[in-house]
Amino acid sequence: HAYEQQLSDSGRSLLLALYSLGGKAEGSVLQAAFKKLHEARAMRWGLPRRPEDWATAMSELANAFLRPTGVNAFEVLDPSVMDLVNAVIRKAPENAVDLVLGAVDFNQVERVWELGKRGIVNVQAAVVQGGTPVAAALKSLILKPRRLINFESGLGFVPWTEEARVAAILPL
């Protein structure tokens, strides 16, 4: 389908990053999520990287998979884009591992884990089998002093207490 045949590696990384953020994100958050995810995927799979990957990915996905919204935010063009990425992850659960390795916020990990709970087979197993790199990524995210929260006016950060961290980890 279009994900495999029409998108570059950077385009795939951007689409996965937007998906991991719930299908909508401020531009600066999306760019940071893309950068970390694209770097993780490049290291893991030996994908080429270029300085213009962000711009290339945005031009590929604009008005085909994502659209601008508000002052500096982006969202998926329609719900079928989220369905497409669900199908991509269902076909290759290693994409879920990439999302954990490239996460900039623990919310993204929770979103990935939820896929397995919703019946996308092998997602949780793939994440668990990710071993030391996944454990290191989780530790890094858990130790962050704040979390991204979606407010009516956009994304923002809130403090993440030790109690809230434990409450977030236990369901995993």
Side-chain angles (χ1 to χ4, degrees):
H1 42 64
Y3 178 87
E4 295 166 341
Q5 297 172 0
Q6 296 175 3
L7 296 180
S8 66
D9 291 323
S10 59
R12 291 183 193 117
S13 292
L14 179 55
L15 190 57
L16 286 167
L18 184 59
Y19 174 87
S20 75
L21 294 167
K24 185 176 184 178
E26 294 295 321
S28 60
V29 173
L30 180 58
Q31 188 170 10
F34 163 79
K35 183 178 178 184
K36 186 165 182 197
L37 176 61
H38 193 50
E39 181 177 317
R41 289 170 49 84
M43 295 294 291
R44 189 163 184 229
W45 304 110
L47 305 177
R49 289 184 11 217
R50 298 171 54 144
E52 63 274 6
D53 280 348
W54 166 254
T56 299
M58 285 301 287
S59 66
E60 282 180 25
L61 270 58
N63 300 316
F65 294 93
L66 63 79
R67 66 176 172 219
T69 180
V71 176
N72 186 30
F74 298 92
E75 66 184 5
V76 294
L77 195 58
D78 62 57
S80 69
V81 174
M82 297 296 275
D83 294 338
L84 169 69
V85 181
N86 280 332
V88 165
I89 293 172
R90 186 176 294 111
K91 182 177 178 183
E94 288 298 316
N95 284 299
V97 176
D98 292 345
L99 291 173
V100 172
L101 295 174
V104 295
D105 190 76
F106 196 75
N107 291 331
Q108 294 168 281
V109 173
E110 290 174 317
R111 198 165 281 110
V112 167
W113 197 252
E114 192 61 34
L115 292 174
K117 290 166 99 177
R118 287 195 341 241
I120 297 184
V121 181
N122 298 326
V123 166
Q124 291 174 334
V127 171
V128 169
Q129 292 167 2
T132 304
V134 167
L138 291 173
K139 181 179 179 181
S140 171
L141 292 168
I142 291 166
L143 294 177
K144 287 189 172 193
R146 56 193 185 148
R147 285 190 77 171
L148 274 174
I149 300 293
N150 265 321
F151 295 107
E152 296 265 336
S153 59
L155 287 171
F157 289 101
V158 296
W160 199 17
T161 64
E162 289 181 15
E163 294 83 3
R165 292 175 201 185
V166 171
I169 295 165
L170 287 177
L172 300 181

